[in-house]
Amino acid sequence: MTAQNLLVELLVEELPPKALRRLGTAFADTLAAQLKALGLAPADTQVTPYASPRRLGVHLTQVAARAADQAVRRKLMPVSVGLDAGGQPTPALLKKLGALGLDATAVPTLQRAPDGKTEALFIDSVTPGATLETGLQQALHEALTHLPIPKVMTYQLHHGTPLPGWDSVQFVRPAHGLVALHGSAVVPVTALGLAAGRRTRGHRFEALQDPIEIPHADQYVELLRTRGAVIAAFEARRAAIADQLKAAAAQAGSGLVAIEDEALLDEVTALVERPNVLACRFEPEYLAVPPECLILTMKANQKYFPLLDAQGRLTHQFLVVSNITPADPSAVIAGNERVVRPRLADAKFFFDQDRKRTLESRVAQLADVVYHGRLGSQGERSERVRAIARAIGERLGGAALAQAADTAARLAKADLLTDMVGEFPELQGIMGGYYARHDGLAEEIALAIEDHYKPRFAGDDLPRGNVGTVVALADKLETLVGLFGIGQIPTGDKDPFALRRHALGVIRMLLEQHLPLDLPALIEDAARTFADVPGFDVRPVQDELRERFLPERLAGYLREQDFSAHEIDAVLALHPRRLAQVPRRLDAVRAFAQLPEAEALAAANKRIGNILKKAGDATGTVDPARFMEAAERALWDAMQETVPIADARFEAGEYRASLQALAALRAPVDAFFDGVLVNTDEAALRANRLALLDALHHAMNRVADLARLVI
């Protein structure tokens, strides 16, 4: 079959910028997958997606004009059903053949072949391969149907429809053109009321030719670039912007760099078809405003890239990615400088106004701010966070830390009532830190207010200092316990209150900051603060949050740290209360698993667990005087020598040494099971042996449940 490169392009109105990259990838991948499934494109076809503000496209190599025919063998029925004793077709077989458009003349062509324990009749046929026109039409339909479109538009068709102005279609944006070229030939397919051709359009303002005729699929990119002033590929356009940002920053001043923001870079890539980076500036007086405010307004509202100096400080210059390239860019530069000025003036006004009142003076107003319809106001929430913070502070550092944490927790939410945070909610906490310093509060209090939302996302920094850690823990525990207590439990992919993120934040702080805190006790402290909340139920907190939700998040976190599922299962099976111990326990389990005695001891431990489970109560005291066999006395003597060493190492937190000490028990344990009958008929002797195994089981499973290591 003739193979040529294939180009498909859908020309549309401006697509949603935050979704463009995903739309382009999905369009190309789905179309390519469909053509591969139909045998029209080879498995190693090179797929090149195109995505610009006004187009989605894909280029595929070595696409056939028609897929190869396929031999098909179809089972009809068992031979015993299809043929009578004389080998003649039965009515059942003739009826089946008739349904396939065949008659009795096809019987001699049928094949007999084993089918399980019976012999069946099969018919061989050849299915013609799909043509590119048919296959591409199907693939195009699938690609457009399964695009991850956040919201569709309904619009009327005015051409190529029986009822112009009345017939309508739905798509993310109105479509105006369709290109489908197989080599130099147009593939006659349709989509969204459009018939495919070879004409496309370039840049709205700077195209040298409009429309642009594409003679061959392989000329698309070059013609769009030279005649249409468009860089079609998203990644190529993104790389061009990154290079221009770097060059423009260097030209703007020695040591200057554009702020790094991958999401912003993706967004501006989706806003322009031929980027042109220009350097602009604003009045230096605005630098008196906290840099987070200026950076946020420039990035979020204007899509600008602020410039930082060699020390990482914000300068009064910024870069704009323009979609036009005039000979004299001064008007574009002046226009962007004029637009940003009111934004910065607003930020300065908010900052100046907010500092006229202290954070303390705003606390009482939190009672008027609704936190949750069933959990009360932000004022009530702040009181709960304070109580939890005091309890954690007492556990972690005594009265001084508890007092500092209480102060920070009381003021932590006050910046929600400031003008700056009202305009830029992303700055909550950050602005509280600035205002706390302005009010003359201690630096540790200001840092705690600033950091108490951390970590805000995966990989974010943890709070700085003990006070910030205590308040951040209290804030997240209050959220988790409160929402679980009123039944707001995440399900599937629905997590409107970001409880998974809060849980991971608690886990990260406890583990990565090595906090010697008892997690179940912290949850109990938090639950007590909801005692007066109507409708609060502590059972979901205990059953769901403590027993399922947090352990699942913890297991997921540990898997990302390259611990195996067996290692994690072995340690978490003991429900360790202090999470800071978990990584060291996992390291100990991994080291133990490398010992030559590990496999036998883990198997023996599993056997002991099964014996004790069947026996029921086996918690009696071991009486050495009742030993009847040398093997049970030898095991007891070995335990007297080994277990105290292992226990001492365990209490000292030396988990690896504790498990390694237990390796000496392998030989006496093996000998015990070889020479001792545990479930003997004599009750007293049986109870004593079960008590011995119970003591051994307890000694072996202090670091982890070693039976879980058995694969």
Side-chain angles (χ1 to χ4, degrees), residues 142-466:
E142 288 295 313
L144 296 177
T145 301
H146 293 95
L147 278 180
I149 299 173
K151 202 171 185 180
V152 298
M153 294 177 61
T154 300
Y155 60 95
Q156 283 69 44
L157 298 175
H158 296 281
H159 305 285
T161 177
L163 296 173
W166 290 92
D167 289 336
S168 63
V169 293
Q170 289 187 327
F171 195 54
V172 60
R173 292 291 186 271
H176 296 292
L178 178 64
V179 174
L181 291 177
H182 186 231
S184 58
V186 173
V187 185
V189 294
T190 61
L192 303 174
L194 301 168
R198 62 174 71 250
R199 288 185 171 186
T200 187
R201 308 188 73 170
H203 197 288
R204 280 194 185 275
F205 311 111
E206 299 190 341
L208 299 180
Q209 179 181 334
D210 188 49
I212 302 171
E213 194 104 355
I214 310 295
H216 192 280
D218 294 345
Q219 295 177 275
Y220 172 73
V221 171
E222 184 62 18
L223 283 174
L224 262 188
R225 186 183 67 82
T226 57
R227 309 303 299 170
V230 171
I231 301 175
F234 187 96
E235 297 303 330
R237 207 163 56 253
R238 190 180 192 274
I241 294 173
D243 290 342
Q244 289 189 44
L245 287 171
K246 186 175 180 180
Q251 190 174 357
S254 176
L256 296 185
V257 293
I259 197 165
E260 293 185 10
D261 190 319
E262 296 298 314
L264 178 60
L265 182 55
D266 285 345
E267 189 171 0
V268 297
T269 301
L271 288 169
V272 300
E273 292 199 302
R274 187 172 70 171
N276 178 33
V277 175
L278 302 170
C280 307
R281 61 183 61 215
F282 57 84
E283 289 76 6
E285 66 187 69
Y286 292 119
L287 293 176
V289 179
E292 293 88 347
C293 307
L294 305 182
I295 290 172
L296 181 60
T297 192
M298 283 191 281
K299 286 168 47 177
N301 295 325
Q302 304 303 133
K303 316 305 175 190
Y304 295 157
F305 288 84
L307 287 177
L308 309 178
D309 65 17
Q311 288 72 44
R313 296 172 302 198
L314 180 66
T315 70
H316 68 292
Q317 298 186 74
F318 61 92
L319 302 179
V320 57
V321 182
S322 174
N323 194 35
I324 57 176
T325 310
D328 180 7
S330 58
V332 178
I333 293 172
N336 281 280
E337 291 176 344
R338 182 173 64 254
V339 168
V340 78
R341 196 170 294 117
R343 297 280 189 184
L344 303 182
D346 286 347
K348 185 175 186 303
F349 175 78
F350 294 147
F351 186 54
D352 292 339
Q353 290 297 112
D354 287 342
R355 288 182 296 171
K356 293 179 180 179
R357 291 184 59 191
T358 64
L359 290 177
E360 185 69 51
S361 69
R362 301 177 188 270
V363 171
Q365 293 176 265
L366 290 172
D368 300 325
V369 180
V370 175
Y371 165 55
H372 189 283
R374 295 174 61 187
L375 295 175
S377 68
Q378 283 287 2
E380 292 169 307
R381 183 183 183 222
S382 291
E383 290 302 311
R384 292 193 293 267
V385 174
R386 287 179 65 187
I388 300 168
R390 286 195 299 269
I392 298 174
E394 285 284 356
R395 294 175 185 272
L396 194 59
L401 180 57
Q403 180 58 47
D406 178 65
T407 300
R410 186 179 74 253
L411 302 173
K413 304 298 180 184
D415 67 349
L416 296 176
L417 298 166
T418 62
D419 291 338
M420 186 72 82
V421 173
E423 180 71 15
F424 302 111
E426 302 92 331
L427 296 177
Q428 55 187 294
I430 295 172
M431 295 312 303
Y434 279 105
Y435 297 143
R437 294 183 185 91
H438 180 265
D439 294 346
L441 295 172
E443 181 63 16
E444 65 174 359
I445 302 296
L447 285 176
I449 294 172
E450 181 179 341
D451 290 354
H452 82 279
Y453 290 104
K454 292 182 178 180
R456 297 172 184 255
F457 50 84
D460 191 19
D461 294 335
L462 297 180
R464 295 162 288 181
N466 285 340

Side-chain angles (χ1 to χ4, degrees), residues 355-642:
R355 288 182 296 171
K356 293 179 180 179
R357 291 184 59 191
T358 64
L359 290 177
E360 185 69 51
S361 69
R362 301 177 188 270
V363 171
Q365 293 176 265
L366 290 172
D368 300 325
V369 180
V370 175
Y371 165 55
H372 189 283
R374 295 174 61 187
L375 295 175
S377 68
Q378 283 287 2
E380 292 169 307
R381 183 183 183 222
S382 291
E383 290 302 311
R384 292 193 293 267
V385 174
R386 287 179 65 187
I388 300 168
R390 286 195 299 269
I392 298 174
E394 285 284 356
R395 294 175 185 272
L396 194 59
L401 180 57
Q403 180 58 47
D406 178 65
T407 300
R410 186 179 74 253
L411 302 173
K413 304 298 180 184
D415 67 349
L416 296 176
L417 298 166
T418 62
D419 291 338
M420 186 72 82
V421 173
E423 180 71 15
F424 302 111
E426 302 92 331
L427 296 177
Q428 55 187 294
I430 295 172
M431 295 312 303
Y434 279 105
Y435 297 143
R437 294 183 185 91
H438 180 265
D439 294 346
L441 295 172
E443 181 63 16
E444 65 174 359
I445 302 296
L447 285 176
I449 294 172
E450 181 179 341
D451 290 354
H452 82 279
Y453 290 104
K454 292 182 178 180
R456 297 172 184 255
F457 50 84
D460 191 19
D461 294 335
L462 297 180
R464 295 162 288 181
N466 285 340
V467 180
T469 298
V470 168
V471 179
L473 273 173
D475 185 71
K476 288 172 173 55
L477 286 169
E478 192 277 342
T479 301
L480 287 165
V481 171
L483 290 167
F484 268 78
I486 60 171
Q488 298 291 321
I489 302 172
T491 57
D493 59 350
K494 296 181 179 179
D495 187 11
F497 299 103
L499 298 186
R500 293 185 179 94
R501 176 169 55 80
H502 281 78
L504 185 58
V506 170
I507 289 166
R508 284 191 59 202
M509 283 185 277
L510 292 175
L511 266 69
E512 296 177 23
Q513 296 189 336
H514 312 292
L515 301 180
L517 294 170
D518 184 319
L519 180 57
L522 298 182
I523 293 173
E524 291 170 9
D525 289 340
R528 278 193 290 271
T529 66
F530 290 90
D532 297 330
V533 175
F536 179 83
D537 186 356
V538 75
R539 287 173 296 180
V541 175
Q542 297 169 340
D543 300 340
E544 288 290 323
L545 177 62
R546 189 178 68 187
E547 300 300 326
R548 180 191 63 83
F549 191 75
L550 285 170
E552 287 178 357
R553 306 282 85 69
L554 174 59
Y557 170 84
L558 294 171
R559 283 193 294 271
E560 292 179 356
Q561 310 305 309
D562 294 328
F563 290 107
S564 73
H566 288 290
E567 293 165 346
I568 295 169
D569 188 31
V571 171
L572 298 191
L574 300 186
H575 306 288
R577 299 177 68 89
R578 295 191 173 189
L579 300 193
Q581 299 174 348
V582 168
R584 287 185 289 125
R585 292 192 185 209
L586 286 165
D587 287 334
V589 168
R590 178 169 291 179
F592 172 78
Q594 304 303 314
L595 298 176
E597 301 88 353
E599 185 175 355
L601 281 174
N605 187 61
K606 185 174 184 178
R607 183 177 179 182
I608 293 168
N610 291 335
I611 292 172
L612 295 175
K613 184 177 181 180
K614 292 179 181 178
D617 184 15
T619 57
T621 303
V622 178
D623 183 0
R626 291 185 178 275
F627 292 152
M628 301 294 293
E629 304 289 345
E632 56 186 328
R633 180 169 293 280
L635 176 58
W636 175 253
D637 291 342
M639 288 173 60
Q640 299 308 298
E641 180 179 347
T642 301

